[in-house]
Amino acid sequence: MNQGKPEPNSLLMQARRRRPSPSGSGRPMSRQELAEAINLYLWHHHQIVHQWDETDIGRLERGENRWPGRRRREAFRAVLHVAADHEIGFYIRRSSTATSDATAVDQLVLAQLEPSAEELLHGSGVGRGEWSSFALVTSMLAQQRQAVPPSALLSLVEAHRDCLLTLYRKAGSDSIKADIGAMLGEASIVASRLWSAQGNHAMALAHCGYARTLADRSGDVRLAAVARIFESNLHSGASTLIHADGDIMTGLRLLDEASAAGPQLTAAARARIAAEQAQAYAALRLPRQTKAALDQARQHAAAITDDDRTGLFSDWNTTRVQVYEGTCHLLLDEPTVAIEHLEHAAATLGQDEGNLNVALAARVDLAAAYGLTGQLDAACTTLGDAYEQLRRIGNLRGIARAQRARESLNPWNKEPVVREMDQRIAAA
């Protein structure tokens, strides 16, 4: 399908021009006059405060949106004197592209909301729970970030985020704006993880920073803490086996700020904070602090319920903490202990699509630990397998981690098994 400009809605444009201007000038109805008529209709018939202007009508006539909300379509039919939506070019757009599919999902959710989206946006006595359909889409996209290649999922998430941003800007009450802002922040964090997986560190940081700023401005303590958790990971460089070249102290400061949210966070979120803190302490060669943080992570992980495993924390369980334990021991130059934890974690995760990226990270770290204990065959086989799978799914963040693990094998570059692994990596 053509990915250029959308096809203009000539039927809507013609229907508007057939109506005379209410000014009595004898000219056709203008876009601004149509917008004012739509606003007036929605107030008179549904007591909805609607604030469209000519730019909104222009967007429809350019074909950027073919399926307005149910009450809006009703207003257009009445004002333009037509009986059916198709007479003015309104229909649900179908597309095979990821971005259009995501937009279509949001349009379908928006169109089916009861009361209408307009009422929700302007808070006409509507309960805050009415946004559950949009929250469901946000959560579902977040949960797919390990099962779907990042390049495929990113366009879906960004399209959904754009829709939420539009709703956020048009929200007419503080309570509705807070609801939409929470979803917008979470969608921004999901996008950040996907940008990071594609190797775009700047965009990943920008999206997390946006979510943090949005949460701080609105006073959403939970969202502010979650944004800091994931932003800390980006600053410390944890995804590529953090060392002193990462901004570890900024990462730790953000984690400390996130932990202040305390009981407003789920057990899964608290487990991640402690696990990330342990990893940073290990990179700084602080074994006592590492152990204390890992003990906290295990305690929180043991308390995780099914209700906690949603959205950004859908992949969290006790095995996830075990991966962190293995990585910590690797960073503390304790490869034998690291192997014990990582072998068990890798076997448990297996081919779990919901934890694919975590399983691959465990195998990469396991390969590095094998190398440090002189198990060269196991190291090269494990790293080669992980690298090929990371390349297949296009996870550049994981590939960078694998490249760091490959550097640890440099002392054995002349060994046949290492050269064979390098050939596998090059072919991938």
Side-chain angles (χ1 to χ4, degrees):
M1 179 174 285
N2 180 17
Q3 297 301 301
K5 295 174 62 177
E7 182 180 353
N9 188 342
S10 56
L11 291 176
L12 177 60
M13 192 181 307
Q14 291 165 9
R16 171 177 62 80
R17 290 175 176 172
R18 285 196 298 268
R19 302 302 306 162
S21 169
S23 68
S25 65
R27 296 178 180 177
M29 176 181 276
S30 68
R31 287 177 175 177
Q32 181 62 36
E33 288 169 337
L34 175 56
E36 291 171 357
I38 296 297
N39 295 342
L40 189 61
Y41 178 93
L42 289 170
W43 174 251
H44 281 169
H45 291 81
H46 301 292
Q47 290 71 56
I48 296 172
V49 177
H50 195 256
Q51 298 175 337
W52 265 21
D53 59 25
E54 61 182 338
T55 59
D56 297 290
I57 303 300
R59 180 167 49 83
L60 291 174
E61 291 188 350
R62 289 191 298 273
E64 295 174 13
N65 178 9
R66 287 281 185 164
W67 193 245
R70 175 173 56 86
R71 293 272 170 81
R72 283 178 181 155
R73 298 197 310 277
E74 173 191 325
F76 273 101
R77 291 194 305 269
V79 171
L80 296 176
H81 293 204
V82 299
D85 290 332
H86 68 81
E87 294 181 58
I88 46 178
F90 288 161
Y91 57 84
I92 299 174
R93 197 196 317 265
R94 304 293 182 186
S95 171
S96 61
T97 66
T99 299
S100 295
D101 283 346
T103 304
V105 168
D106 282 325
Q107 288 177 351
L108 282 169
V109 171
L110 188 59
Q112 297 305 315
L113 284 171
E114 293 289 349
S116 74
E118 291 85 358
E119 289 176 275
L120 289 171
L121 284 173
H122 298 289
S124 304
V126 179
R128 300 180 70 179
E130 296 293 347
W131 286 106
S132 58
S133 297
F134 269 102
L136 179 61
V137 174
T138 305
S139 180
M140 287 174 60
L141 289 171
Q143 292 179 48
Q144 293 302 312
R145 71 192 185 283
Q146 296 218 41
V148 178
S151 59
L153 188 58
L154 180 58
S155 57
L156 283 163
V157 172
E158 287 287 24
H160 179 62
R161 182 187 173 282
D162 287 346
C163 180
L164 290 170
L165 180 59
T166 298
L167 292 172
Y168 180 76
R169 287 171 173 168
K170 290 180 175 289
S173 72
D174 290 341
S175 62
I176 297 302
K177 197 157 193 167
D179 283 347
I180 303 172
M183 290 183 282
L184 175 59
E186 184 171 356
S188 297
I189 297 170
V190 177
S192 170
R193 302 305 294 164
L194 296 171
W195 279 112
S196 177
Q198 293 204 113
N200 195 325
H201 188 72
M203 285 296 287
L205 269 176
H207 277 71
C208 252
Y210 176 85
R212 170 174 48 79
T213 302
L214 178 68
D216 288 345
R217 188 168 60 241
S218 65
D220 189 330
V221 176
R222 186 201 65 82
L223 176 61
V226 172
R228 281 167 167 79
I229 292 171
F230 289 95
E231 187 178 355
S232 74
N233 183 273
L234 294 169
H235 281 288
S236 64
S239 60
T240 54
L241 286 175
I242 56 178
H243 287 85
D245 55 348
D247 189 357
I248 299 175
M249 299 315 299
T250 296
L252 278 171
R253 175 178 57 78
L254 288 167
L255 289 170
D256 186 63
E257 292 172 1
S259 66
Q264 297 199 44
L265 297 175
T266 64
R270 294 195 295 272
R272 171 143 196 164
I273 290 173
E276 292 278 350
Q277 287 174 325
Q279 193 167 240
Y281 292 140
L284 294 170
R285 302 294 195 274
L286 298 170
R288 185 169 61 84
Q289 288 80 3
T290 300
K291 180 181 182 303
L294 285 173
D295 287 344
Q296 287 188 0
R298 283 191 293 269
Q299 291 172 11
H300 292 313
I304 294 174
T305 66
D306 288 341
D307 290 340
D308 294 330
R309 295 190 184 97
T310 60
L312 289 159
F313 299 97
S314 60
D315 53 356
W316 267 84
N317 50 38
T318 54
T319 303
R320 182 71 181 268
V321 175
Q322 195 164 38
V323 175
Y324 275 88
E325 289 192 73
T327 301
C328 287
H329 286 291
L330 180 62
L331 292 169
L332 290 169
D333 294 326
E334 299 171 348
T336 301
V337 182
I339 289 172
E340 180 183 347
H341 288 289
L342 292 169
E343 282 184 339
H344 185 272
T348 302
L349 292 169
Q351 297 300 314
D352 179 6
E353 291 186 354
N355 263 306
L356 178 59
N357 292 326
V358 177
L360 290 173
R363 292 173 199 167
V364 167
D365 292 2
L366 179 58
Y370 282 146
L372 290 174
T373 57
Q375 302 178 63
L376 205 55
D377 286 345
C380 292
T381 299
T382 303
L383 185 57
D385 290 345
Y387 189 94
E388 287 176 343
Q389 195 163 4
L390 286 164
R391 180 62 71 180
R392 275 198 301 273
I393 65 176
N395 188 337
L396 298 185
R397 182 178 62 218
I399 289 171
R401 189 186 191 105
Q403 289 169 340
R404 291 289 295 271
R406 169 60 186 89
E407 291 172 5
S408 70
L409 300 176
N410 282 342
W412 299 278
N413 279 347
K414 294 182 179 180
E415 295 293 328
V417 67
V418 176
R419 292 203 298 267
E420 181 182 344
M421 178 193 65
D422 286 340
Q423 291 174 356
R424 291 180 64 187
I425 289 175

